[in-house]
């Protein structure tokens, strides 16, 4: 049996990943491999507490893996970073610091995985414009985002784009409802093709561990 714990920032991230990965979660469970998506209370809590939670799991569950998957946005929170590489390096450094402080095995880092959404999970909604149109009840909307969708930036991250689209169409965006609605109707393969920078490496890493 293998257990994979995926820590994310909040409920909408958890619900969205459970929706888009539903088939893989079910297939994994048939082989006694289990994936748990766990929402912490925002980016600060995820990056500050996540490494400590990961160590406790990895020490006590020999066949486990832990993923930390925050949004890249906002930058420099809770520590300086403006890229995935900077974020990953700092989280791994904190993980190793806690390992040393707890006199634990440094080899645990091989089962510790840091990824991120660029710049937020809402990037997946921008990568699913066909489904997003259905949610908005429109046949066509004015494109206000960049292609590839992961090329948004800190000044105009994906969630702001999505909120604008909803408000422009006289709707209120509710992430815990709209994200899973769109993603349960989306195709994982297509999302990976449209989000090759950060989403695809995360999914490939996760699925490789499930199938190993």
């Amino acid at each position: 049996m293998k257990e994979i714990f995926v820590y994310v920032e909040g409920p909408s991230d958890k619900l969205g990943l459970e929706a888009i990965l539903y088939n893989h979660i079910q297939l994994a469970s048939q082989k006694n491999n289990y994936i748990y998506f766990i929402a912490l209370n925002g980016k600060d809590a995820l990056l500050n507490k996540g490494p400590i939670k990961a160590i406790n799991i990895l020490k006590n569950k020999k066949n486990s893996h832990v993923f930390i998957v925050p949004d890249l946005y906002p930058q420099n929170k809770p520590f300086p970073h403006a890229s995935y590489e900077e974020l990953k390096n700092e989280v791994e450094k904190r993980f190793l610091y806690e390992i040393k402080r707890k006199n634990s095995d440094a080899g645990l880092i091989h089962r510790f995985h840091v990824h991120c959404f660029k710049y937020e999970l809402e990037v997946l909604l921008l990568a699913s414009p066909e489904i997003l149109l259905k949610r908005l009840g429109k046949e066509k909307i004015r494109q206000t985002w960049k292609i590839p969708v992961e090329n948004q930036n800190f000044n105009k991250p994906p969630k702001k784009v999505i909120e604008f689209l909803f408000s422009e169409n006289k709707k209120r965006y509710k992430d815990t409802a709209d994200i899973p609605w769109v993603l349960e109707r989306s195709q994982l393969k297509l999302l990976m093709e449209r989000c090759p920078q950060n989403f695809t490496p995360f999914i490939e890493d996760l699925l490789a561990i499930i199938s190993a």
Side-chain angles (χ1 to χ4, degrees), residues 67-200:
F67 282 73
I68 301 289
V69 191
D71 293 338
L72 186 57
Y73 177 88
Q75 63 182 326
N76 301 324
K77 182 181 178 181
F79 49 75
H81 68 278
S83 68
Y84 163 61
E85 290 74 20
E86 290 174 343
L87 184 153
K88 180 174 185 280
N89 288 340
E90 180 62 26
V91 173
E92 288 181 343
K93 185 166 72 175
R94 292 181 174 212
F95 180 86
L96 290 171
Y97 170 80
E98 292 297 333
I99 284 281
K100 186 175 181 180
R101 191 173 70 85
K102 292 174 177 287
N103 294 316
S104 299
D105 179 11
L108 293 179
I109 198 167
H110 298 302
R111 293 188 281 125
F112 180 66
H113 313 273
V114 182
H115 288 276
C116 77
F117 297 109
K118 189 181 177 191
Y119 286 73
E120 297 165 301
L121 181 133
E122 278 84 356
V123 71
L124 302 182
L125 274 60
L126 297 179
S128 303
E130 305 88 350
I131 312 300
L132 187 57
L133 278 171
K134 293 180 181 179
R135 187 60 166 171
L136 291 170
K138 296 287 182 178
E139 293 184 1
K140 187 176 181 180
I141 51 178
R142 180 166 59 93
Q143 183 179 315
T144 59
W145 60 93
K146 296 183 179 182
I147 301 294
V149 290
E150 288 180 302
N151 282 355
Q152 300 303 122
N153 56 47
F154 288 112
N155 294 322
K156 194 176 182 181
K159 187 173 183 177
K160 289 189 183 298
V161 177
I162 292 295
E163 288 174 337
F164 172 78
L165 290 173
F166 273 74
S167 65
E168 190 177 49
N169 288 281
K170 297 179 171 55
K171 294 181 182 291
R172 181 174 175 270
Y173 174 59
K174 185 172 177 56
D175 56 5
T176 52
D178 296 313
I179 286 175
W181 193 95
V182 171
L183 294 186
E184 70 185 8
R185 292 164 174 79
S186 301
Q187 297 179 35
L188 180 61
K189 182 180 178 181
L190 192 57
L191 292 181
M192 293 173 69
E193 290 174 358
R194 293 174 177 176
C195 302
Q197 297 173 30
N198 286 86
F199 181 65
T200 294

Side-chain angles (χ1 to χ4, degrees), residues 27-38:
L27 288 172
S29 66
Q30 293 172 17
K31 299 177 182 179
N32 289 324
N33 294 329
Y34 299 96
I35 310 171
Y36 310 104
F37 295 93
I38 304 163

